[in-house]
Amino acid sequence: MRLPLIGAIVGVYALLFGLTLLAPIAVGLWYGEPQWRHFLWPMLGSIGLGALLWLGGRHQARTLGVADGYLVVALFWILLSLLGAWPLHLGFGLAPVDALFESTSGVTTTGATVISGLDTLPRALLFYRQQLQWFGGMGLIVLGLAVMPLLGIGGMQLYRAEAPGPLKEEKLTPRLTQTARTLWALYLGLTLACALAYWLAGMTPFDALCHSLSTVSTGGFSTHDASIGYFASPAVETVAVCFMLLAAINFAVHYAAWSSREPMRYLRDAETRAFLALVFGCVLLIGVVLRLEGGYEGLDESLRDALFEVVSVVTSTGFGTVDFAHWPDFLPILLIYISFIGGCGGSTAGGIKVLRVLLMVKQGLLEIRQQIHPHALLPLRLGGRSVDPRLARSVWGFFALYLTTFALLTLLMIHAGLAPLDAFSAVATSLNNLGPGLGEVATSFATVSDLGKLIAVGAMLLGRLEVLTILVILSPAFWRR
Amino acid sequence: MRLPLIGAIVGVYALLFGLTLLAPIAVGLWYGEPQWRHFLWPMLGSIGLGALLWLGGRHQARTLGVADGYLVVALFWILLSLLGAWPLHLGFGLAPVDALFESTSGVTTTGATVISGLDTLPRALLFYRQQLQWFGGMGLIVLGLAVMPLLGIGGMQLYRAEAPGPLKEEKLTPRLTQTARTLWALYLGLTLACALAYWLAGMTPFDALCHSLSTVSTGGFSTHDASIGYFASPAVETVAVCFMLLAAINFAVHYAAWSSREPMRYLRDAETRAFLALVFGCVLLIGVVLRLEGGYEGLDESLRDALFEVVSVVTSTGFGTVDFAHWPDFLPILLIYISFIGGCGGSTAGGIKVLRVLLMVKQGLLEIRQQIHPHALLPLRLGGRSVDPRLARSVWGFFALYLTTFALLTLLMIHAGLAPLDAFSAVATSLNNLGPGLGEVATSFATVSDLGKLIAVGAMLLGRLEVLTILVILSPAFWRR
Ligand SMILES: [K+]
Ligand SMILES: [K+]
């Protein structure tokens, strides 16, 4: 354990976080809102804290152990959630637990909220919430990866602990720094394109920018209580659907398709194909059920709402145009199920990830074939190639941990006072970084007890770090090293 | 496909089923109940149908293909459910769907019911329900295995498709017929010991016999609406707890312990150890929560109820002394979770089985260690030995299929009109062959729609055959052979 070095790295991130607060300050000044001052102390405090930590540890060895990376990442996300809550509590007067909930929900790109009356809030605050999601989306960590080497610290261990998706060893380019910069360039490019598209579709420049930040990060915060439903615009919905889908596809696939200028690369990727098939299969099923039982006049209208909500849920964005919690029949539960699948690995989406679910389903189907041919050697295949048994094993282990975490947190959430179904959906929506749930937590966590909010905070962090990072640092084996 | 041969084998089972109806007829005659006649036509019909099928196919080749076994077993269980419903519908006047539900719930040892007012029913009918569970428990199939060779038909393929538990290739004795006879001797011995113990604990001889049939089969039917609670006797509860636990331990472990006269053999088996640890861990947790929040006066009383309900649920028996659906806090949901684990493989219990869950949990913990030592080769171990990767893979495949089946059936059950939480528990209790659920299905399925009852019937059969057998015969690959 190299605690001072770990502190120094976390310090750099705190410093970077402090600098990002310049943006909401600028927004407040631009719109002449006195609340820009609420960000001043948090900015100076974060920068000061970061500088202190950095100065304390910078003379230490410059290499992290494999396992140290997990501690850095976990500490960083916890610190980020706390620093993010600072202006919300001391500046805007949210209760401590509420501020922590809102901040964690932001940086983990969950997008659940305890605030109502968004439409009347100062723009500096609205922008700040959106920005939390954007930085959380690709992860300040990856930003740090691009910066750290400038400071002389290698970061592969951070990438292992942080990057979402099962293929952690997969890098876009040979050099890690280059990878991080490429990821951020893609992320920034997508965000600018999204903002421009929203503006062309009729949003104000402010709304367009704000919603692009929470679309590309699959965060789901909005500047309006009615979320995307506020705009009542097919054009806006189309833009949202397109960019939510793009944000939930593996960024390595984006890179391959764009750098080679071959759009067919998307369809050559087995995970992307499965993801799109899942989306359109669910849209069709849900569109038909909505038409038959949801009081819709025509299939075109029911398909439109089905498309938006399925994409919003499967990408774990959580934008709403209608309230799926009040849809008929099994639809609310089906949408909660879908949120467990989530987007593709290596994207900003939450959930178990399509690739892992695909491998589990394939193993299930293989097991059926194995029964019919008990002595055959049937390899698990994906996209025409055999799957490395070690990757497959890690997927199954992950699956077991994810489900166990979900089951235990649901029991805790019931203990915190929620009805069983509400607790089930509250944990699912937090762990999968989705946002909206069912029943009591359909639109807001405001009425949930403090204990319940803290459990949700834990679930959001567990989900954002794909369970393993937190479980690793909680394991006795980690501290026994 | 050798359809006439398959028909002949299924015919033998139908004939055997017909012969078992002599027992409720004898009970009716003994107690002077005119309802003994209700079993006459079903008996003659089953025997006649069986004989016809047998005569039609007996001249065919005497060897079954690997996959044919699945068809025999699936057809047999479906036919058994239908034949079992015959006296209930035509004799006792239950609606067709209710009769099918009650019959399937019996033979699959689920123990959910649509009948109320048990205490006033004719004893012939009460005995018949208990007997359905007993034959279903070890499986008429295994009985058939002991008989078939006399008729010149080999049966290993049936054993593969039918025997519960992940270690299907594990045989007690080298010869299959011998294995089947040994299993039945153990089963019969346990049943007689259980009946004797119930009688000594104060039950009437009739109740003692009836409850031994549904205890050793982990079926859970009772002759009283209040189930085991009717007796309000610590002695009766103790007997029930002991024999439920025994019935949920792998019969191969029983055989090893008893044939070698070494009781420590039980604790040398990793699955049995995990099973007992699970039971006593849950009893302690639930006992404490009940004492704190359930209005109990002392820990001894709360532990007593916790012990009975945990054992009843984890062994998938479903007897009740109290109604756990109305326990406080997270306890009802925890008990539904426990029912997914179920008993040990190779026992009469339902659920996923302890061994499979243990392997999943171990793989999860291994994955955490793998993160800390990313380049180490960490084998999955159980009881000091490495687990065969093919066994491990089949466990993960099974897990995926079981969960997917559960998730899809829950959606269907909501479609059939149940509230989401009730649907969740109704499918869980059917698929895990438990019996009682939550809410609307806490004590009876009487108010569930016909569609809901049919979904439950499907779930019970899927659960009893451990999902795979049914999925195999539904797969295109099966029919393409
Ligand atoms: K989200
Ligand atoms: K049962």
Side-chain angles (χ1 to χ4, degrees):
Chain A
M1 203 72 62
R2 299 166 183 87
L3 281 181
L5 175 64
I6 290 171
I9 299 175
V10 173
V12 173
Y13 289 127
L15 200 149
L16 286 173
F17 173 75
L19 292 177
T20 68
L21 296 186
L22 284 170
I25 290 176
V27 170
L29 290 171
W30 175 269
Y31 287 107
E33 296 169 337
Q35 291 89 344
W36 68 267
R37 287 172 221 273
H38 293 338
F39 296 99
L40 201 58
W41 278 112
M43 180 180 79
L44 298 176
S46 300
I47 292 175
L49 175 69
L52 274 179
L53 284 170
W54 162 247
L55 291 174
R58 77 196 150 110
H59 290 305
Q60 304 291 320
R62 293 292 164 90
T63 46
L64 278 179
V66 172
D68 294 331
Y70 291 95
L71 198 58
V72 170
V73 170
L75 285 177
F76 159 69
W77 280 93
I78 292 166
L79 185 69
L80 185 63
S81 299
L82 290 169
L83 292 177
W86 187 348
L88 297 173
H89 172 53
L90 288 182
F92 294 91
L94 268 69
V97 172
D98 282 359
L100 181 65
F101 180 93
E102 196 75 12
S103 164
T104 311
S105 174
V107 297
T108 60
T109 73
T110 305
T113 186
V114 290
I115 302 176
S116 61
L118 292 174
D119 304 71
T120 63
L121 290 182
R123 296 191 166 192
L125 174 56
L126 290 175
F127 184 84
Y128 172 65
R129 290 169 78 241
Q130 306 298 118
Q131 170 180 295
L132 281 180
Q133 298 217 308
W134 193 71
F135 283 115
M138 183 54 82
L140 273 165
I141 293 285
V142 181
L143 176 64
L145 284 184
V147 176
M148 284 293 173
L150 305 178
L151 308 172
I153 297 170
M156 191 58 206
Q157 306 319 332
L158 302 189
Y159 187 67
R160 276 184 63 86
E162 154 81 15
L167 297 172
K168 290 193 170 178
E169 307 287 356
E170 183 186 277
K171 286 166 283 182
L172 309 189
T173 61
R175 284 174 50 85
L176 184 64
T177 326
Q178 188 61 33
T179 302
R181 285 186 195 147
T182 306
L183 286 175
W184 269 91
L186 271 167
Y187 192 56
L188 193 64
L190 268 180
T191 308
L192 293 176
C194 181
L196 188 67
Y198 274 137
W199 182 58
L200 292 175
M203 282 191 186
T204 65
F206 180 75
D207 273 351
L209 178 59
C210 282
H211 285 89
S212 74
L213 297 180
S214 60
T215 303
V216 174
S217 63
T218 68
F221 271 158
S222 174
T223 55
H224 304 284
D225 283 340
S227 188
I228 296 291
Y230 170 86
F231 303 99
S233 154
V236 166
E237 286 172 35
T238 306
V239 172
V241 163
C242 290
F243 281 91
M244 288 191 281
L245 285 176
L246 288 171
I249 288 174
N250 192 330
F251 274 57
V253 174
H254 283 309
Y255 179 77
W258 286 86
S259 63
S260 68
R261 287 174 185 73
E262 285 183 55
M264 292 309 291
R265 283 267 179 136
Y266 286 111
L267 294 181
R268 242 188 280 154
D269 179 62
E271 187 182 22
T272 309
R273 279 203 309 272
F275 174 64
L276 295 175
L278 170 76
V279 168
F280 292 107
C282 288
V283 169
L284 213 61
L285 171 67
I286 293 174
V288 169
V289 174
L290 269 186
R291 170 73 183 85
L292 295 176
E293 303 184 37
Y296 280 79
E297 304 259 307
L299 196 59
D300 50 341
E301 280 187 40
S302 67
L303 280 174
R304 171 183 159 190
D305 282 357
L307 175 67
F308 189 88
E309 292 297 322
V310 166
V311 169
S312 173
V313 167
V314 79
T315 62
S316 80
T317 310
F319 279 147
T321 53
V322 293
D323 185 1
F324 74 78
H326 294 110
W327 273 357
D329 212 316
F330 57 78
L331 297 185
I333 304 292
L334 176 59
L335 283 161
I336 294 291
Y337 283 171
I338 291 173
S339 79
F340 275 95
I341 301 175
C344 301
S347 76
T348 63
I352 288 171
K353 307 288 179 305
V354 173
L355 183 56
R356 292 202 185 92
V357 174
L358 186 60
L359 287 176
M360 286 298 288
V361 169
K362 275 178 175 277
Q363 182 62 47
L365 296 176
L366 202 63
E367 185 58 19
I368 293 177
R369 281 180 51 213
Q370 188 78 69
Q371 301 292 317
I372 301 173
H373 308 287
H375 301 296
L377 268 174
L378 302 172
L380 183 61
R381 297 172 72 85
L382 182 80
R385 272 184 295 178
S386 281
V387 175
D388 177 0
R390 289 188 65 179
L391 170 66
R393 262 181 41 161
S394 83
V395 167
W396 298 319
F398 175 88
F399 209 79
L401 293 174
Y402 203 87
L403 276 186
T404 310
T405 304
F406 170 72
L408 295 180
L409 288 177
T410 302
L411 296 182
L412 278 178
M413 196 59 104
I414 295 172
H415 182 69
L418 265 68
L421 185 68
D422 297 359
F424 163 80
S425 76
V427 173
T429 203
S430 302
L431 190 63
N432 298 331
N433 297 145
L434 171 58
L438 305 178
E440 185 177 345
V441 294
T443 51
S444 159
F445 274 66
T447 60
V448 174
S449 68
D450 278 358
L451 176 59
K453 283 173 188 155
L454 290 175
I455 295 165
V457 163
M460 292 188 265
L461 287 170
L462 278 161
R464 184 64 184 89
L465 297 177
E466 298 209 307
V467 181
L468 272 172
T469 305
I470 303 276
L471 295 181
V472 162
I473 65 162
L474 292 178
S475 72
F478 179 81
W479 298 100
R480 244 191 275 116
R481 279 175 310 136
Chain B
M1 203 75 61
R2 300 166 183 86
L3 280 180
L5 175 64
I6 290 171
I9 300 175
V10 173
V12 174
Y13 289 128
L15 200 149
L16 286 173
F17 172 76
L19 290 177
T20 68
L21 295 186
L22 283 170
I25 289 176
V27 170
L29 289 172
W30 176 270
Y31 288 107
E33 296 170 338
Q35 291 92 342
W36 68 266
R37 287 172 221 271
H38 293 339
F39 296 99
L40 201 57
W41 278 112
M43 180 179 79
L44 298 176
S46 299
I47 292 174
L49 176 69
L52 272 179
L53 285 169
W54 162 246
L55 290 174
R58 77 195 151 111
H59 290 304
Q60 305 291 320
R62 292 295 163 89
T63 46
L64 279 180
V66 171
D68 294 331
Y70 290 94
L71 198 58
V72 170
V73 169
L75 285 177
F76 160 68
W77 280 92
I78 291 166
L79 185 69
L80 185 62
S81 299
L82 289 169
L83 291 178
W86 186 347
L88 296 173
H89 172 52
L90 288 183
F92 293 91
L94 268 69
V97 172
D98 283 359
L100 181 65
F101 180 94
E102 196 76 12
S103 164
T104 311
S105 174
V107 296
T108 60
T109 73
T110 306
T113 187
V114 290
I115 301 177
S116 61
L118 292 174
D119 304 70
T120 62
L121 290 183
R123 295 191 166 193
L125 174 56
L126 291 175
F127 184 84
Y128 172 66
R129 290 170 78 242
Q130 306 299 117
Q131 171 180 295
L132 282 180
Q133 298 217 306
W134 193 71
F135 282 115
M138 184 53 83
L140 273 166
I141 294 284
V142 182
L143 175 64
L145 284 184
V147 176
M148 284 294 174
L150 305 178
L151 308 174
I153 297 170
M156 190 58 206
Q157 306 319 335
L158 302 190
Y159 187 67
R160 274 185 64 86
E162 153 83 14
L167 297 174
K168 291 193 168 177
E169 306 288 355
E170 184 186 275
K171 288 166 282 182
L172 308 188
T173 60
R175 284 175 47 86
L176 185 65
T177 325
Q178 187 62 33
T179 301
R181 283 186 195 147
T182 307
L183 287 174
W184 269 92
L186 270 167
Y187 192 57
L188 193 64
L190 268 180
T191 307
L192 292 175
C194 181
L196 188 69
Y198 273 138
W199 182 57
L200 292 174
M203 280 191 189
T204 64
F206 179 75
D207 273 352
L209 177 60
C210 282
H211 284 89
S212 74
L213 297 180
S214 61
T215 303
V216 174
S217 63
T218 67
F221 271 158
S222 173
T223 55
H224 303 285
D225 282 341
S227 186
I228 296 291
Y230 169 87
F231 303 99
S233 152
V236 166
E237 285 173 35
T238 307
V239 172
V241 163
C242 290
F243 281 91
M244 287 191 282
L245 285 175
L246 287 171
I249 288 174
N250 192 329
F251 275 57
V253 174
H254 283 310
Y255 179 77
W258 287 85
S259 63
S260 66
R261 285 173 185 73
E262 285 184 56
M264 292 308 291
R265 283 265 179 137
Y266 285 111
L267 293 182
R268 242 187 278 155
D269 179 61
E271 186 181 21
T272 309
R273 280 202 310 271
F275 174 65
L276 295 175
L278 170 76
V279 168
F280 292 107
C282 288
V283 169
L284 212 61
L285 171 67
I286 293 175
V288 169
V289 175
L290 268 186
R291 171 73 184 81
L292 296 175
E293 302 183 36
Y296 281 79
E297 305 258 306
L299 195 58
D300 50 341
E301 279 186 41
S302 68
L303 280 175
R304 172 183 158 189
D305 282 356
L307 175 67
F308 189 87
E309 292 299 321
V310 166
V311 169
S312 173
V313 167
V314 79
T315 62
S316 80
T317 309
F319 279 148
T321 54
V322 293
D323 185 1
F324 74 77
H326 294 110
W327 275 356
D329 211 320
F330 57 78
L331 297 185
I333 304 292
L334 177 58
L335 282 160
I336 294 290
Y337 283 170
I338 292 174
S339 78
F340 275 95
I341 302 176
C344 300
S347 76
T348 63
I352 288 172
K353 306 290 178 303
V354 173
L355 183 55
R356 292 202 186 92
V357 174
L358 185 62
L359 288 177
M360 286 298 288
V361 170
K362 275 179 177 275
Q363 182 61 45
L365 296 177
L366 203 63
E367 185 57 19
I368 294 177
R369 280 181 52 214
Q370 187 79 66
Q371 300 293 317
I372 302 173
H373 309 287
H375 301 296
L377 268 174
L378 303 172
L380 182 61
R381 296 171 74 85
L382 182 79
R385 273 183 296 179
S386 281
V387 175
D388 177 358
R390 290 189 63 180
L391 170 66
R393 263 182 40 162
S394 84
V395 167
W396 298 318
F398 175 87
F399 210 79
L401 294 174
Y402 203 88
L403 277 185
T404 309
T405 304
F406 169 71
L408 295 181
L409 288 177
T410 302
L411 295 182
L412 279 178
M413 195 60 106
I414 296 172
H415 182 68
L418 266 68
L421 185 67
D422 298 358
F424 164 81
S425 76
V427 173
T429 204
S430 302
L431 190 63
N432 298 331
N433 297 144
L434 171 58
L438 306 178
E440 186 178 346
V441 294
T443 50
S444 160
F445 274 67
T447 60
V448 174
S449 68
D450 278 356
L451 177 59
K453 282 172 188 156
L454 290 175
I455 294 165
V457 163
M460 292 189 266
L461 287 171
L462 279 161
R464 184 64 183 88
L465 297 176
E466 297 208 308
V467 181
L468 272 173
T469 305
I470 302 277
L471 295 181
V472 163
I473 65 162
L474 292 179
S475 73
F478 179 79
W479 297 100
R480 244 190 278 116
R481 280 174 307 138

